[in-house]
Amino acid sequence: MEIFLTAVGEYLATVGAETTIDLYADFEITDPEPKRLFEELRQAAAAQAQTANAGRRGGDPYMAVSLDLTTSGGMTYFSRLAHRTIDCESVLDNKVIFSTVENERIVCVGIPDHEVETLESKAREAGATTLSRVA
């Protein structure tokens, strides 16, 4: 999944989609690197919310955390965590074009079929072996 999400993330960055992630997981993240990245991003989100909301009551700092997919850090968080959290989505022109569905094996993409085929091909070339589409 991480290989495919890298290809998806590159596409999303290219088209300028706004991407957010919710930093909650239904199941414990046990893989060492994703677990570290999850905790790191939660700490950064809490610190940013504390600074932004000094003296005010704010919302949940772990919901709808922005990811900048034009940076290597943003891409790393996206590819390692998007499918492990309760939600990650990308919006372009007020339309959701990518979303996770609280499942480590399924993502939803709302982009043209030829773009999906290109992403699948790119992921396979990078080593992905278990990609399949659900209609």
Side-chain angles (χ1 to χ4, degrees), residues 8-18 90-93 97 111 115:
V8 171
E10 290 170 356
Y11 171 82
L12 296 171
T14 300
V15 299
E18 294 180 28
S90 296
V91 176
L92 182 65
D93 298 327
I97 63 169
I111 61 176
E115 296 290 356

Side-chain angles (χ1 to χ4, degrees), residues 1-133:
M1 181 62 82
E2 292 174 6
I3 294 170
F4 180 65
L5 288 176
T6 297
V8 171
E10 290 170 356
Y11 171 82
L12 296 171
T14 300
V15 299
E18 294 180 28
T19 301
T20 59
I21 188 168
D22 294 344
L23 297 175
Y24 291 101
D26 285 333
F27 304 100
E28 180 182 0
I29 298 172
T30 57
D31 292 338
E33 182 192 15
K35 184 175 184 171
R36 179 187 64 76
L37 291 167
F38 182 75
E39 291 304 322
E40 179 181 282
L41 192 53
R42 281 180 62 94
Q43 288 174 1
Q48 183 178 14
Q50 187 174 24
T51 300
N53 294 318
R56 298 185 286 159
R57 290 186 72 194
D60 187 333
Y62 304 125
M63 295 297 288
V65 174
S66 292
L67 290 179
D68 182 354
L69 299 183
T70 65
T71 68
S72 62
M75 280 296 297
T76 298
Y77 289 131
F78 179 79
S79 66
R80 303 301 191 280
L81 299 176
H83 60 299
R84 290 182 164 98
T85 65
I86 61 168
D87 185 50
C88 182
E89 65 182 32
S90 296
V91 176
L92 182 65
D93 298 327
N94 295 317
K95 180 183 174 193
V96 175
I97 63 169
F98 167 86
S99 178
T100 57
V101 288
E102 300 184 47
N103 186 313
E104 288 194 21
R105 296 180 183 180
I106 300 172
V107 298
C108 298
V109 290
I111 61 176
D113 280 343
H114 72 277
E115 296 290 356
V116 174
E117 290 168 8
T118 299
L119 295 176
E120 288 177 341
S121 177
K122 189 173 188 177
R124 289 185 195 288
E125 288 174 14
T129 58
T130 58
L131 298 177
S132 62
R133 283 196 208 187

